[in-house]
Amino acid sequence: MNSYQRITELNSSLIIKTVEMHTGGEAVRIAVSGYPEIIGETILDKRRYCKENLDQLRKMLMEEPRGHSEMYGVIPVNSDIKEADMAVLFTHCEGYSVMCGHATIALGRYAVDHGIVKGVSPETIVKIQCPCGLVTAHVEYQDGKAGAARFESVPCFVFAADQKINLEGYGEIHYDISYGGTFYVYCDLTQFGLNFKSSSVTDIATTAMKLRRAVAAKVTLTHHEDNDLAYFYGVIFYSGPLDNSDCFEETCIFADAQVDRSPCGSGSSGFLALLHHKGLVKEGEVRKFVNGKTRSSFNGKIMKQVKVKDTPAVIVEISGKGYYTGECTFYCEQDDPQPSFLVK
């Protein structure tokens, strides 16, 4: 018996296997086996159950030494709606998000490649239940292989436009709040004397968290479906005043100062809702979103206008491609005193 067999047999209850992917440079770690049963009637119940009962497994996969401070993950669960082909929870180093666009793009390809949905040329539809609602992915399928994907969002809307806040050290800051499956603060980075080219990632992330805390202390969010969705997930910084350009630089800082390597699918969804609200994009027009640091990009467009109760909203489409980076088997030895670290 080799050392690997000995360790895994001794710790068989803690073996978790994953498929590793990335979209736009942002990690997608999909837990494909090893998770215990996740209990709950609804997907938000399952999210709460994981937070309250299985959070040590999230930390094991997301944090060092198996992960890192910018890791992102997916936990497949049983769907509670018949329309869905699959259902998932999203994880990161702070907890559990309710929507993730870059992961949805990767999951579309993964679902076709792994037979969750049978591939159909030229495009296969994959319906994914996320904590924020049902999202539909359209996955390119040619010669038996899945490729790039685009997903249709849940209704996206502006919660509060043209807001102001006095931020210590910076004075009056202008911002907007928009929902793209989760809530973000949208703000022009240049107001802080920062820019994507020369400012450090640390300075950008620190400023974003200061802004998010200040806005969260001032603004009470609500959501029409469930107030589990009503929280500030992150900040989308963009460069310069908004106009009717066809390309926008942006960077998403979310959770506990995690810096997205992709342009952020849910953030771009909310961005399109904001641009539409301000009259800067029309239905059917394509906009490109480029990460200000990594230069990876997504395309997005407004598909149609809808209403969420009395609130004007839009369904948007975000497109990109997920790539495989490997497969892993993770375990934790029984006498390991530090199953995970999170250093900030």
Side-chain angles (χ1 to χ4, degrees):
M1 181 184 295
N2 63 38
S3 59
Y4 173 80
Q5 290 173 322
R6 179 178 60 80
I7 291 169
T8 54
E9 285 187 7
L10 286 173
N11 298 278
S12 60
S13 63
L14 289 176
I15 295 173
I16 298 177
K17 294 187 176 183
T18 66
V19 169
E20 307 287 310
M21 301 184 74
H22 83 87
T23 307
E26 182 74 356
V28 185
R29 173 167 287 170
I30 307 169
V32 297
S33 69
Y35 247 81
E37 181 183 5
I38 298 173
I39 298 170
E41 290 187 9
T42 70
I43 196 165
L44 288 174
D45 290 339
K46 292 179 176 71
R47 179 172 175 262
R48 283 189 290 270
Y49 181 85
C50 279
K51 290 170 67 174
E52 295 169 3
N53 299 279
L54 301 175
D55 204 44
Q56 72 278 12
L57 300 182
R58 174 192 64 83
K59 292 178 180 179
M60 174 182 159
L61 293 179
M62 296 293 101
E63 297 176 5
E64 297 180 40
R66 298 164 193 83
H68 52 77
S69 61
E70 316 298 335
M71 180 53 72
Y72 203 92
V74 173
I75 308 169
V77 296
N78 292 326
S79 174
D80 56 83
I81 56 175
K82 63 181 181 180
E83 300 93 334
D85 296 307
M86 65 185 303
V88 295
L89 303 178
F90 299 118
T91 68
H92 46 73
C93 285
E94 184 186 48
Y96 302 82
S97 59
V98 295
M99 176 54 191
C100 179
H102 89 274
T104 298
I105 290 169
L107 283 166
R109 185 180 180 194
Y110 167 85
V112 177
D113 285 338
H114 289 77
I116 295 170
V117 177
K118 183 179 179 180
V120 177
S121 295
E123 198 171 63
T124 304
I125 293 175
V126 182
K127 295 187 176 183
I128 304 170
Q129 185 187 16
C130 305
C132 67
L134 187 67
V135 175
T136 301
H138 301 260
V139 185
E140 293 178 3
Y141 189 75
Q142 296 289 342
D143 302 321
K145 296 180 180 179
R150 53 191 175 88
F151 72 85
E152 296 172 21
S153 70
V154 295
C156 303
F157 56 89
V158 173
F159 183 84
D162 303 315
Q163 301 295 296
K164 300 176 185 178
I165 192 168
N166 285 311
L167 196 63
E168 184 179 356
Y170 298 102
E172 187 175 83
I173 298 296
H174 295 247
Y175 69 94
D176 303 280
I177 301 169
S178 192
Y179 179 84
T182 189
F183 286 98
Y184 292 95
V185 179
Y186 291 78
C187 188
D188 178 0
L189 180 62
T190 64
Q191 293 183 92
F192 302 92
L194 301 173
N195 63 79
F196 293 130
K197 185 175 181 180
S198 61
S199 299
S200 71
V201 170
T202 299
D203 286 346
I204 292 172
T206 300
T207 304
M209 290 299 99
K210 185 173 184 177
L211 175 63
R212 189 184 73 172
R213 286 191 295 269
V215 174
K218 179 182 178 181
V219 178
T220 300
L221 294 173
T222 58
H223 193 278
H224 60 283
E225 288 187 355
D226 195 305
N227 274 332
D228 270 8
L229 305 175
Y231 68 98
F232 285 104
Y233 184 44
V235 171
I236 304 291
F237 276 140
Y238 54 86
S239 181
L242 294 180
D243 56 24
N244 60 354
S245 301
D246 58 6
C247 182
F248 293 89
E249 278 191 314
E250 63 174 18
T251 289
C252 171
I253 301 90
F254 66 98
D256 187 15
Q258 287 189 232
V259 181
D260 201 329
R261 271 59 176 163
S262 82
C264 184
S266 57
S268 297
S269 299
F271 207 155
L272 279 165
L274 179 62
L275 293 170
H276 183 266
H277 176 86
K278 292 178 178 287
L280 298 174
V281 63
K282 298 177 182 178
E283 190 173 316
E285 292 181 340
V286 175
R287 294 293 184 268
K288 187 175 185 178
F289 298 96
V290 179
N291 185 295
K293 283 296 186 180
T294 68
R295 311 309 296 173
S296 64
S297 65
F298 291 156
N299 285 334
K301 66 179 178 180
I302 306 286
M303 298 296 291
K304 62 181 178 180
Q305 300 179 56
V306 295
K307 276 201 171 183
V308 176
K309 293 194 174 180
D310 294 326
T311 302
V314 291
I315 303 296
V316 311
E317 178 186 274
I318 303 294
S319 60
K321 185 176 180 180
Y323 295 87
Y324 294 101
T325 58
E327 296 181 358
C328 294
T329 298
F330 293 103
Y331 48 79
C332 179
E333 291 190 81
Q334 292 173 353
D335 62 346
D336 186 344
Q338 289 294 156
S340 71
F341 286 97
L342 183 59
V343 179
K344 284 288 184 181

